[in-house]
Amino acid sequence: MLLQLNNIFKWVNSGGQRVFLLKDINLSVEEGEFISVMGPSGSGKSTLLNVIGMLDNFDEGEYNFLDEPVHTLKEKHRANLYKQYIGFVFQSYHLLDDLTVKENLEMPLLYKKVGSSERKSLVADTLDRFNIVGKKDLFPAQLSGGQQQLVGIARALISSPKLILADEPTGNLNSKQGEEIMELFGQLNKEGVTIIQVTHSEKNATYGSRTINLLDGRKIN
Amino acid sequence: MLKHNVQLFIRNIKKNKGTFLINVLGLGVGISSFLVLFLYVQNDLTYNHFHKNLSDIYRVREGEGIQTKGLLLPQMLQEIPEVENGTRIFDWGGNRLRHGNEAFFENIHYVDQGFFKVFSFPFAEGASHERNLEKFGAVISREMADKYFGQEPALGKQLQVDFSDQYLTVNGVIDIPANSSIQFHIIASYETGEAINPWMKGIHDWYNTFSNTYVLLKEGSKPEALQHKLQRIVTENFLPVGQNTTKLNLLPFKDYHAVEESNQTLIVILAIIALGIIGIAIVNFINLNITHAIARIREVGIKKVHGATKRTLFFQIMTESCATSFAALVLGVVLIILLLPVFNGLFETQLRFDPFQNQLLTVTLFVIWGLVSLLSGLIPSLFWTRGLTVQSLKDTPLSGNRASASRYALIVVQFVIAIVLIAGTFLVRKQVNAMIEKDPKFDGKNVIVVELDYWQYEDQEKAYQNFYRIAKEMETDPYVESISFSQSVPGNYNENYNTFYPEGKKKEEAIGLRKAYVGEDYFKTLGIELWSGSDFDPALASLEEGVVLNRKAMETLGYLEAKGQILHESSETGTAYRVVGAIEDFSYQGVQREVQPLVHFIRDQKNLADWGAFLLIKTKPSASIQTLETLKDQWEEMGPSSNLNYFFANDKLNEHYKEYMKIETLVAWFSILAGLLSCMGLFALASHSMARRKKEIGIRKVNGATIGQILALLNKDFAKWVGLAFVIAVPLSWYAMNQWLEGFAYRTSISWWIFALAGCIALAIALLTVSWQSFKAATNNPVNALRDE
């Protein structure tokens, strides 16, 4: 068992009323799964993903990650946990514009205090693995959307996380690029990486082993 | 990690060159101008601090007067044991001094042997010892040494006095610090003075105040404790004995500059300007940094997701702010090194930027650096580390009403300073113009004043024959209306006062008159109008005993007409003078000073050598060029060594306004600077505000607002703040102007247009700055603004 959500609630108060963003979510994820989260706009997909990624808090319920009770952990401890085990992929890639491809890959390692020589070899391996050695000195603006997302995924994977969280990874890409990215996710999953993706596309959802549908913050299947 | 931070920082600069440049330039300029004023104020506040015994040195004053009787010091040394030492300075003597081919007229200061015991001037050549001031020994300033001896050592060199066989030997050269109240070129002993100028013998008595007197008290002596002893000297010696009520007092020499010499209002104003400028600059710097840091919130979010902690983020932003403010500091230092000589030239100061010598300066520099780095790093780091990662990733800058309110408050403060300075510039200008344009009541434009420089001539008799001849020749020139010799000319009246007792009135109505010696036709030549009575009439037998007063003296004495009035000098039975006439109050000194009662004595041309210093030539209107040509030809015959030095009568007077013109330039500079810096702050705030209102503008445009309407909407907001600044600035500057004008006898009015103009200028520059941004925002395609959704 990689992670387990029990009766998760999240709400905001708006105009004296409690508006639920997540309502009684229960979810278990096993290692090696590839889950697609679907639902209309505002159904709470991204919120769920942020909660799983520990970037956002929830108001009620329990969350266990690798048998650690996340809901009782302190901020710092929680940060260490996601730093170590979770990689993020974003719809708009979120690469640092001022850094080259190589430096973007290196950035998370710096914050994990990885030694210089190990950093170099990790970056070199990753560049190799994703076939982007030729692009290592380019800046994000010099790459196509698909290439940028490729770098984004490479960055998410560089410290070998157990879980990849992808928020509409193909949302800004054309269909061909999107397909390539999805192929890559499929392949990574086969190599043993657990993936949770948020998507609007039925087609992309088929890459996953399981689909969760959300509506108004509730799981509906 | 540091390498990574620095790299990111450098790339960031490259990408945002404009912002970075404005930021560094603004703070750099702010720092350099702060430093200039800092040095100026520091220089003023540390006047005379180089004297080792400073706290025990006092200047003796008679009441408010800083001139004292010559016999006072010897008496004090004799009677008051607390007075350890002392020196007089007598600077009434001037002689020609020559070494080789270099000859100049020097105002020799005669001092007592205690001079170097009281004061500690640093010696550049020689050292302080007993024999420095032996007979015919002299100590000179470095400036004078350079003038006479150039690169050669001055020690032991001889200076010929006039054309006699007397020589002064240079026994030492001293470096007189620029901020010394006591400035001279050459000093020698009284003994030497009496040998050179026999008239000095017995000149000191218990009536005339010819000397500056300084005393060194024994350590720990309180001047108040000596008061009764001082007053005993007054009672026992001052004339008239027993009846003199002069109050002697000891002014601490450390306060002397502030009390007697410096313009304290100006120093306070400059200190406030300095703090204001550096304040504006720092606030801008921090503001721009915050704006910039907030714009980078997405970068922070990404870093957080990838494991950046509060500490690493704090470290990053501190590296950046330390580096940026260091760049500004370096720029500020470079600027001041470049600009200080210009400033020194303009304001005749000798300020030096020397952080190794001036510890306070170094400390101040580091405090500024530390403060700016810390503040400009700390505030954004709070923004950065606070808040949820998810929010920062969404790219929406954190909104905070309190933060923006305080930033508007800062903009208001900046504009208050700018408006006050702009209005101040106008007022100073108006005052200077008013003083220059005030009718001086003499003909300043058509009167050529020739300096006789009689000291240049070995054969004085021959020289004066020549002066007479030239005067006669010039008088026959068709372009010349009148000529006169004189000891005084407007702008150059001697500080020579005495008490006069009007006949037939009580002793209490005695009046202090400022004395001037003039030749025949002086008033006619200068075009000074008579108010009552007549001019000196050479036909009258007792010419020498007639005097001409000015209107102020007449009014003070309560005389309605000049005729029949008699004045006695020094005492009720002193020499009697008949008042023959009274002239209008003309500007014999700068009109910033109150007109004093004057008395003019006439001197006989036959004894010109005793009193003549100037030859005045009045030409027909606009004929001065022709007259000067004639004069130059005439002067040729004076011999090859003589130079013709001349000026127009109003030149000398206008020199009295130079100080105020300097202030005008200074205030103008700093008002431009304050305006520029305020604009930068406004620019940053405007760009921030436009970015925040992007969506609002888009929605308004989609719903039919025109560009003009949007512009008005955006600019109105800022105009409001400038308006508030104006409301605060008007009473502040009005008060400051009033304070400043207090110091002038003749003052201009504080007109409403000064404030209106300053306000309009401030509003104009503010709107221009904001419009730059708002026009961009208003013309932006609304699709761009709304697409994010």
Side-chain angles (χ1 to χ4, degrees):
Chain A
M1 180 83 65
L2 180 66
L3 65 91
Q4 190 171 32
L5 302 178
N6 294 328
N7 309 102
I8 296 288
F9 285 82
K10 181 173 174 63
W11 62 75
V12 288
N13 291 316
S14 166
Q17 267 190 320
R18 188 171 277 188
V19 177
F20 285 92
L21 303 176
L22 295 176
K23 218 170 189 177
D24 198 18
I25 302 285
N26 292 291
L27 177 66
S28 316
V29 178
E30 299 289 340
E31 281 193 48
E33 275 196 277
F34 189 164
I35 300 174
S36 303
V37 182
M38 294 192 71
S41 282
S43 60
K45 305 182 299 286
S46 295
T47 310
L48 178 62
L49 207 64
N50 287 335
V51 166
I52 294 172
M54 301 174 213
L55 299 178
D56 211 347
N57 296 323
F58 49 91
D59 296 294
E60 223 178 275
E62 287 177 5
Y63 174 16
N64 294 309
F65 187 91
L66 288 172
D67 298 327
E68 293 250 27
V70 175
H71 50 280
T72 61
L73 291 180
K74 288 229 170 70
E75 166 95 40
K76 200 174 163 191
H77 210 112
R78 219 156 49 202
N80 282 334
L81 204 60
Y82 77 70
K83 252 200 279 192
Q84 202 177 344
Y85 296 110
I86 303 177
F88 296 88
V89 175
F90 303 94
Q91 176 179 3
S92 50
Y93 332 127
H94 282 335
L95 299 177
L96 288 180
D97 301 337
D98 297 334
L99 298 183
T100 60
V101 167
K102 194 181 85 189
E103 287 159 352
N104 259 300
L105 292 181
E106 193 183 11
M107 189 256 296
L109 301 176
L110 280 166
Y111 292 119
K112 288 181 183 101
K113 304 217 163 67
V114 178
S116 161
S117 55
E118 199 186 341
R119 234 160 45 214
K120 277 206 184 88
S121 69
L122 272 173
V123 170
D125 286 351
T126 312
L127 286 168
D128 216 22
R129 180 175 167 200
F130 288 90
N131 242 335
I132 45 176
V133 179
K135 308 256 182 324
K136 71 176 168 38
D137 291 322
L138 297 180
F139 287 95
Q142 294 166 299
L143 302 176
S144 72
Q147 287 165 337
Q148 286 190 48
Q149 192 58 296
L150 199 60
V151 176
I153 295 168
R155 184 178 64 183
L157 281 168
I158 193 155
S159 43
S160 359
K162 279 189 182 304
L163 173 66
I164 290 277
L165 296 176
D167 194 349
E168 298 197 43
T170 61
N172 286 7
L173 303 176
N174 63 31
S175 58
K176 185 166 176 289
Q177 288 169 334
E179 219 166 281
E180 279 166 17
I181 293 295
M182 288 318 297
E183 292 289 343
L184 178 61
F185 273 131
Q187 197 191 328
L188 289 170
N189 183 241
K190 281 196 191 94
E191 289 167 16
V193 183
T194 314
I195 297 172
I196 304 178
Q197 67 159 341
V198 163
T199 182
H200 272 303
S201 141
E202 290 286 352
K203 194 179 161 220
N204 286 351
T206 57
Y207 284 88
S209 51
R210 177 150 71 106
T211 302
I212 297 165
N213 283 298
L214 291 183
L215 184 65
D216 298 335
R218 247 180 223 284
K219 234 172 107 180
I220 47 157
N221 51 327
Chain B
M1 183 65 89
L2 184 67
K3 191 182 142 224
H4 172 79
N5 284 344
V6 170
Q7 203 168 41
L8 206 58
F9 171 62
I10 291 171
R11 294 219 182 114
N12 219 308
I13 292 172
K14 278 189 188 153
K15 208 167 80 179
N16 301 293
K17 280 189 211 88
T19 318
F20 180 77
L21 212 67
I22 288 183
N23 216 352
V24 169
L25 210 66
L27 186 60
V29 169
I31 287 178
S32 61
S33 39
F34 169 78
L35 286 178
V36 169
L37 293 177
F38 175 89
L39 289 174
Y40 188 91
V41 172
Q42 190 196 27
N43 177 65
D44 196 82
L45 296 180
T46 56
Y47 245 74
N48 301 322
H49 278 210
F50 60 93
H51 295 300
K52 288 192 191 76
N53 302 323
L54 183 65
S55 56
D56 292 317
I57 304 176
Y58 295 85
R59 179 151 185 177
V60 185
R61 295 197 299 181
E62 298 193 1
E64 289 292 304
I66 53 170
Q67 297 276 81
T68 54
K69 305 193 193 323
L71 298 179
L72 181 60
L73 182 70
Q75 198 71 22
M76 283 173 74
L77 285 167
Q78 208 171 38
E79 284 189 20
I80 308 177
E82 287 90 340
V83 178
E84 187 173 298
N85 217 325
T87 182
R88 291 168 293 176
I89 300 176
F90 178 80
D91 54 6
W92 285 57
N95 295 83
R96 174 190 194 260
L97 295 181
R98 183 196 63 87
H99 177 86
N101 289 326
E102 306 292 337
F104 304 95
F105 186 75
E106 300 293 347
N107 178 211
I108 306 176
H109 288 45
Y110 298 103
V111 302
D112 287 300
Q113 294 295 337
F115 187 83
F116 288 113
K117 293 281 190 308
V118 177
F119 302 120
S120 16
F121 286 97
F123 274 76
E125 283 184 49
S128 172
H129 58 72
E130 302 290 311
R131 295 184 313 281
N132 275 331
L133 297 173
E134 63 191 1
K135 196 169 183 186
F136 291 115
V139 175
I140 64 174
S141 70
R142 159 99 77 171
E143 225 183 331
M144 174 158 163
D146 291 345
K147 190 167 73 174
Y148 281 83
F149 313 113
Q151 299 299 312
E152 285 179 48
L155 214 58
K157 290 261 172 23
Q158 301 222 305
L159 294 160
Q160 187 190 23
V161 180
D162 295 328
F163 297 90
S164 69
D165 52 4
Q166 290 175 320
Y167 287 86
L168 294 177
T169 308
V170 177
N171 283 343
V173 177
I174 52 182
D175 264 326
I176 305 174
N179 57 356
S180 167
S181 292
I182 299 170
Q183 296 285 349
F184 55 84
H185 287 129
I186 174 165
I187 53 172
S189 67
Y190 271 78
E191 198 188 0
T192 313
E194 286 169 5
I196 295 174
N197 305 309
W199 56 265
M200 269 179 69
K201 277 181 197 151
I203 195 173
H204 294 306
D205 54 25
W206 287 108
Y207 181 79
N208 288 299
T209 52
F210 291 146
S211 310
N212 307 329
T213 304
Y214 296 90
V215 291
L216 175 68
L217 296 191
K218 291 216 164 72
E219 235 181 302
S221 305
K222 291 254 167 357
E224 303 84 51
L226 310 182
Q227 196 59 45
H228 66 281
K229 295 182 187 171
L230 288 171
Q231 286 318 122
R232 202 172 64 215
I233 294 180
V234 172
T235 324
E236 287 176 3
N237 300 290
F238 277 32
L239 294 176
V241 176
Q243 295 170 41
N244 199 306
T245 53
T246 305
K247 270 231 170 297
L248 284 182
N249 60 77
L250 300 179
L251 174 68
F253 192 46
K254 62 176 192 297
D255 301 336
Y256 176 75
H257 178 70
V259 174
E260 296 283 351
E261 296 178 328
S262 144
N263 184 343
Q264 287 300 289
T265 324
L266 181 66
I267 291 298
V268 171
I269 290 175
L270 289 183
I272 292 172
I273 294 179
L275 290 177
I277 293 268
I278 191 78
I280 293 180
I282 289 179
V283 164
N284 273 344
F285 185 83
I286 295 171
N287 247 344
L288 277 162
N289 253 8
I290 294 173
T291 313
H292 187 54
I294 290 173
R296 285 165 62 192
I297 197 83
R298 195 180 72 103
E299 175 190 325
V300 175
I302 296 170
K303 286 191 162 177
K304 274 190 185 169
V305 168
H306 290 97
T309 58
K310 282 182 182 177
R311 252 193 62 213
T312 51
L313 288 173
F314 179 74
F315 186 63
Q316 183 195 346
I317 198 149
M318 280 320 261
T319 319
E320 293 186 9
S321 72
C322 282
T324 315
S325 48
F326 189 72
L329 194 74
V330 169
L331 181 72
V333 167
V334 168
L335 278 178
I336 195 170
I337 290 171
L338 293 177
L339 291 178
L340 205 55
V342 181
F343 182 89
N344 279 336
L346 261 174
F347 296 99
E348 289 166 19
T349 49
Q350 291 175 35
L351 304 179
R352 282 197 356 226
F353 179 75
D354 193 351
F356 299 105
Q357 292 276 315
N358 191 341
Q359 281 156 6
L360 187 63
L361 182 67
T362 322
V363 171
T364 311
L365 282 176
F366 275 99
V367 167
I368 292 176
W369 184 39
L371 198 76
V372 174
S373 309
L374 207 67
L375 284 178
S376 64
L378 217 55
I379 300 172
S381 79
L382 285 179
F383 279 107
W384 276 23
T385 53
R386 213 177 48 188
L388 283 165
T389 315
V390 193
Q391 268 176 356
S392 37
L393 277 178
K394 277 184 193 147
D395 219 354
T396 45
L398 298 169
S399 57
N401 280 329
R402 196 178 303 161
S404 53
S406 64
R407 293 161 115 209
Y408 279 113
L410 292 171
I411 289 291
V412 171
V413 172
Q414 292 184 351
F415 269 88
V416 168
I417 296 173
I419 293 172
V420 168
L421 284 176
I422 294 170
T425 312
F426 287 130
L427 179 87
V428 176
R429 187 179 197 92
K430 190 164 179 268
Q431 170 68 14
V432 171
N433 283 344
M435 289 196 294
I436 292 174
E437 280 160 19
K438 182 178 190 279
D439 181 9
K441 297 198 175 146
F442 69 83
D443 187 346
K445 291 194 185 82
N446 298 312
V447 178
I448 300 166
V449 180
V450 183
E451 292 180 54
L452 298 183
D453 291 332
Y454 49 86
W455 54 271
Q456 294 183 70
Y457 309 104
E458 180 164 14
D459 187 345
Q460 298 259 311
E461 193 53 43
K462 199 178 138 217
Y464 280 98
Q465 290 307 328
N466 265 322
F467 292 147
Y468 293 134
R469 189 188 49 74
I470 291 172
K472 278 271 173 295
E473 293 281 341
M474 293 308 296
E475 218 170 358
T476 58
D477 190 290
Y479 291 120
V480 173
E481 286 193 347
S482 166
I483 66 122
S484 169
F485 285 102
S486 178
Q487 189 179 47
S488 313
V489 289
N492 196 13
Y493 267 53
N494 286 340
E495 296 275 346
N496 187 0
Y497 301 88
N498 209 344
T499 314
F500 288 83
Y501 296 81
E503 193 163 286
K505 294 204 179 191
K506 279 190 235 113
K507 202 176 75 184
E508 287 69 38
E509 284 180 63
I511 183 176
L513 296 175
R514 189 166 180 172
K515 292 163 69 173
Y517 296 100
V518 299
E520 223 176 280
D521 288 338
Y522 175 73
F523 302 122
K524 184 180 148 202
T525 306
L526 272 174
I528 300 169
E529 279 176 28
L530 275 171
W531 181 68
S532 167
S534 60
D535 196 350
F536 295 110
D537 185 354
L540 284 174
S542 52
L543 180 70
E544 292 277 294
E545 281 139 36
V547 293
V548 171
L549 303 181
N550 67 347
R551 186 172 166 176
K552 173 88 179 179
M554 295 292 284
E555 285 167 355
T556 316
L557 284 162
Y559 290 163
L560 293 175
E561 60 166 354
K563 235 184 174 155
Q565 314 292 357
I566 289 174
L567 293 171
H568 293 273
E569 187 170 8
S570 298
S571 73
E572 283 168 288
T573 52
T575 322
Y577 291 97
R578 210 161 34 79
V579 179
V580 295
I583 44 165
E584 279 292 339
D585 286 333
F586 69 105
S587 304
Y588 66 95
Q589 62 178 8
V591 292
Q592 67 269 38
R593 297 208 184 84
E594 206 75 63
V595 175
Q596 298 158 305
L598 297 183
V599 56
H600 288 85
F601 294 84
I602 192 156
R603 281 288 175 266
D604 196 334
Q605 273 204 24
K606 278 183 214 123
N607 312 321
L608 186 61
D610 294 340
W611 55 274
F614 301 102
L615 169 63
L616 289 78
I617 303 169
K618 180 172 184 172
T619 66
K620 293 218 160 68
S622 62
S624 45
I625 294 172
Q626 292 92 323
T627 313
L628 275 172
E629 286 306 316
T630 323
L631 182 65
K632 277 174 192 160
D633 291 340
Q634 293 286 344
W635 212 263
E636 293 280 295
E637 291 168 39
M638 291 294 294
S641 65
S642 86
N643 298 314
L644 174 62
N645 293 321
Y646 66 90
F647 52 85
F648 286 92
N650 52 1
D651 292 350
K652 207 67 167 190
L653 183 67
N654 286 343
E655 274 176 26
H656 290 232
Y657 307 131
K658 246 170 78 183
E659 181 195 342
Y660 302 101
M661 294 180 194
K662 282 193 261 169
I663 295 177
E664 185 194 327
T665 319
L666 195 71
V667 178
W669 272 22
F670 284 106
S671 63
I672 291 172
L673 201 68
L676 271 178
L677 289 175
S678 304
C679 274
M680 282 169 52
L682 195 60
F683 190 81
L685 190 64
S687 70
H688 178 66
S689 151
M690 297 306 158
R692 274 178 53 169
R693 296 177 72 173
K694 210 167 140 190
K695 195 175 140 196
E696 179 200 333
I697 297 163
I699 295 170
R700 283 179 190 272
K701 278 187 83 173
V702 168
N703 285 290
T706 63
I707 291 174
Q709 283 166 332
I710 302 271
L711 266 179
L713 174 85
L714 296 172
N715 289 358
K716 199 179 69 197
D717 235 25
F718 289 93
K720 196 171 69 192
W721 297 111
V722 177
L724 179 63
F726 180 71
V727 170
I728 299 170
V730 167
L732 269 179
S733 46
W734 188 82
Y735 176 77
M737 287 171 182
N738 254 327
Q739 285 289 315
W740 187 70
L741 284 177
E742 285 281 294
F744 295 87
Y746 177 76
R747 51 186 90 115
T748 184
S749 57
I750 305 175
S751 308
W752 63 270
W753 63 260
I754 290 178
F755 300 109
L757 196 58
C760 286
I761 290 176
L763 189 65
I765 56 177
L767 286 184
L768 268 175
T769 313
V770 175
S771 296
W772 178 293
Q773 304 264 353
S774 53
F775 186 74
K776 250 194 330 198
T779 50
N780 195 5
N781 187 344
V783 177
N784 293 331
L786 299 174
R787 195 169 49 186
D788 295 352
E789 284 302 292

mmCIF file of all heavy atoms in Angstrom, chain A residues 123-138:
data_model
loop_
_atom_site.group_PDB
_atom_site.id
_atom_site.type_symbol
_atom_site.label_atom_id
_atom_site.label_comp_id
_atom_site.label_asym_id
_atom_site.label_seq_id
_atom_site.Cartn_x
_atom_site.Cartn_y
_atom_site.Cartn_z
ATOM 1 N N VAL A 123 22.266 13.797 -13.541
ATOM 2 C CA VAL A 123 21.777 14.650 -14.632
ATOM 3 C C VAL A 123 22.137 14.030 -15.970
ATOM 4 O O VAL A 123 21.306 13.946 -16.888
ATOM 5 C CB VAL A 123 22.348 16.082 -14.507
ATOM 6 C CG1 VAL A 123 22.040 16.887 -15.754
ATOM 7 C CG2 VAL A 123 21.783 16.772 -13.276
ATOM 8 N N ALA A 124 23.371 13.567 -16.076
ATOM 9 C CA ALA A 124 23.822 12.973 -17.334
ATOM 10 C C ALA A 124 22.979 11.750 -17.673
ATOM 11 O O ALA A 124 22.538 11.581 -18.824
ATOM 12 C CB ALA A 124 25.297 12.593 -17.222
ATOM 13 N N ASP A 125 22.731 10.899 -16.667
ATOM 14 C CA ASP A 125 21.913 9.702 -16.878
ATOM 15 C C ASP A 125 20.535 10.080 -17.390
ATOM 16 O O ASP A 125 20.029 9.506 -18.364
ATOM 17 C CB ASP A 125 21.742 8.918 -15.568
ATOM 18 C CG ASP A 125 23.018 8.193 -15.192
ATOM 19 O OD1 ASP A 125 23.942 8.186 -16.052
ATOM 20 O OD2 ASP A 125 23.098 7.666 -14.067
ATOM 21 N N THR A 126 19.930 11.087 -16.710
ATOM 22 C CA THR A 126 18.567 11.469 -17.046
ATOM 23 C C THR A 126 18.484 12.038 -18.455
ATOM 24 O O THR A 126 17.570 11.712 -19.217
ATOM 25 C CB THR A 126 18.034 12.480 -16.024
ATOM 26 O OG1 THR A 126 18.312 11.997 -14.719
ATOM 27 C CG2 THR A 126 16.552 12.697 -16.183
ATOM 28 N N LEU A 127 19.461 12.890 -18.802
ATOM 29 C CA LEU A 127 19.485 13.476 -20.137
ATOM 30 C C LEU A 127 19.530 12.363 -21.174
ATOM 31 O O LEU A 127 18.840 12.390 -22.199
ATOM 32 C CB LEU A 127 20.707 14.383 -20.301
ATOM 33 C CG LEU A 127 20.663 15.737 -19.581
ATOM 34 C CD1 LEU A 127 22.044 16.390 -19.600
ATOM 35 C CD2 LEU A 127 19.642 16.653 -20.229
ATOM 36 N N ASP A 128 20.348 11.382 -20.857
ATOM 37 C CA ASP A 128 20.530 10.232 -21.733
ATOM 38 C C ASP A 128 19.232 9.449 -21.875
ATOM 39 O O ASP A 128 18.780 9.160 -22.973
ATOM 40 C CB ASP A 128 21.598 9.332 -21.083
ATOM 41 C CG ASP A 128 22.455 8.700 -22.151
ATOM 42 O OD1 ASP A 128 22.496 9.274 -23.265
ATOM 43 O OD2 ASP A 128 23.056 7.652 -21.874
ATOM 44 N N ARG A 129 18.624 9.183 -20.722
ATOM 45 C CA ARG A 129 17.439 8.341 -20.680
ATOM 46 C C ARG A 129 16.294 8.964 -21.476
ATOM 47 O O ARG A 129 15.528 8.266 -22.129
ATOM 48 C CB ARG A 129 17.045 8.170 -19.209
ATOM 49 C CG ARG A 129 15.823 7.314 -18.985
ATOM 50 C CD ARG A 129 15.651 7.133 -17.493
ATOM 51 N NE ARG A 129 14.354 6.588 -17.179
ATOM 52 C CZ ARG A 129 13.796 6.685 -15.985
ATOM 53 N NH1 ARG A 129 14.436 7.322 -15.015
ATOM 54 N NH2 ARG A 129 12.621 6.158 -15.751
ATOM 55 N N PHE A 130 16.185 10.285 -21.411
ATOM 56 C CA PHE A 130 15.085 10.954 -22.120
ATOM 57 C C PHE A 130 15.496 11.500 -23.474
ATOM 58 O O PHE A 130 14.753 12.238 -24.110
ATOM 59 C CB PHE A 130 14.507 12.073 -21.247
ATOM 60 C CG PHE A 130 13.719 11.562 -20.085
ATOM 61 C CD1 PHE A 130 14.323 11.296 -18.862
ATOM 62 C CD2 PHE A 130 12.353 11.297 -20.242
ATOM 63 C CE1 PHE A 130 13.588 10.794 -17.808
ATOM 64 C CE2 PHE A 130 11.626 10.803 -19.178
ATOM 65 C CZ PHE A 130 12.242 10.539 -17.952
ATOM 66 N N ASN A 131 16.736 11.151 -23.855
ATOM 67 C CA ASN A 131 17.173 11.512 -25.192
ATOM 68 C C ASN A 131 17.222 13.024 -25.430
ATOM 69 O O ASN A 131 16.814 13.504 -26.494
ATOM 70 C CB ASN A 131 16.223 10.884 -26.219
ATOM 71 C CG ASN A 131 17.000 9.916 -27.082
ATOM 72 O OD1 ASN A 131 18.225 10.047 -27.244
ATOM 73 N ND2 ASN A 131 16.308 8.916 -27.611
ATOM 74 N N ILE A 132 17.623 13.759 -24.448
ATOM 75 C CA ILE A 132 17.651 15.212 -24.617
ATOM 76 C C ILE A 132 19.051 15.771 -24.364
ATOM 77 O O ILE A 132 19.213 16.958 -24.045
ATOM 78 C CB ILE A 132 16.625 15.908 -23.688
ATOM 79 C CG1 ILE A 132 16.701 15.306 -22.287
ATOM 80 C CG2 ILE A 132 15.214 15.833 -24.254
ATOM 81 C CD1 ILE A 132 15.813 15.986 -21.279
ATOM 82 N N VAL A 133 20.076 14.934 -24.562
ATOM 83 C CA VAL A 133 21.448 15.385 -24.341
ATOM 84 C C VAL A 133 21.749 16.613 -25.199
ATOM 85 O O VAL A 133 22.354 17.579 -24.760
ATOM 86 C CB VAL A 133 22.453 14.258 -24.649
ATOM 87 C CG1 VAL A 133 23.882 14.736 -24.444
ATOM 88 C CG2 VAL A 133 22.160 13.052 -23.773
ATOM 89 N N GLY A 134 21.245 16.566 -26.456
ATOM 90 C CA GLY A 134 21.518 17.665 -27.381
ATOM 91 C C GLY A 134 20.878 18.976 -26.957
ATOM 92 O O GLY A 134 21.256 20.043 -27.425
ATOM 93 N N LYS A 135 19.911 18.892 -26.041
ATOM 94 C CA LYS A 135 19.181 20.116 -25.666
ATOM 95 C C LYS A 135 19.646 20.662 -24.307
ATOM 96 O O LYS A 135 19.090 21.621 -23.810
ATOM 97 C CB LYS A 135 17.677 19.792 -25.537
ATOM 98 C CG LYS A 135 17.065 19.095 -26.742
ATOM 99 C CD LYS A 135 16.264 20.077 -27.531
ATOM 100 C CE LYS A 135 15.551 19.520 -28.734
ATOM 101 N NZ LYS A 135 16.208 18.473 -29.521
ATOM 102 N N LYS A 136 20.671 20.043 -23.738
ATOM 103 C CA LYS A 136 20.954 20.327 -22.336
ATOM 104 C C LYS A 136 21.312 21.791 -22.052
ATOM 105 O O LYS A 136 21.062 22.290 -20.955
ATOM 106 C CB LYS A 136 22.050 19.398 -21.801
ATOM 107 C CG LYS A 136 23.457 19.645 -22.313
ATOM 108 C CD LYS A 136 24.390 18.697 -21.598
ATOM 109 C CE LYS A 136 25.786 18.559 -22.109
ATOM 110 N NZ LYS A 136 26.499 19.681 -22.605
ATOM 111 N N ASP A 137 21.860 22.499 -23.040
ATOM 112 C CA ASP A 137 22.238 23.883 -22.774
ATOM 113 C C ASP A 137 21.225 24.902 -23.276
ATOM 114 O O ASP A 137 21.482 26.096 -23.269
ATOM 115 C CB ASP A 137 23.608 24.176 -23.389
ATOM 116 C CG ASP A 137 24.697 23.414 -22.637
ATOM 117 O OD1 ASP A 137 24.586 23.318 -21.397
ATOM 118 O OD2 ASP A 137 25.618 22.899 -23.293
ATOM 119 N N LEU A 138 20.077 24.406 -23.706
ATOM 120 C CA LEU A 138 19.048 25.334 -24.181
ATOM 121 C C LEU A 138 18.177 25.796 -23.010
ATOM 122 O O LEU A 138 18.049 25.113 -22.006
ATOM 123 C CB LEU A 138 18.171 24.656 -25.233
ATOM 124 C CG LEU A 138 18.884 24.231 -26.517
ATOM 125 C CD1 LEU A 138 17.889 23.576 -27.468
ATOM 126 C CD2 LEU A 138 19.554 25.418 -27.187
#
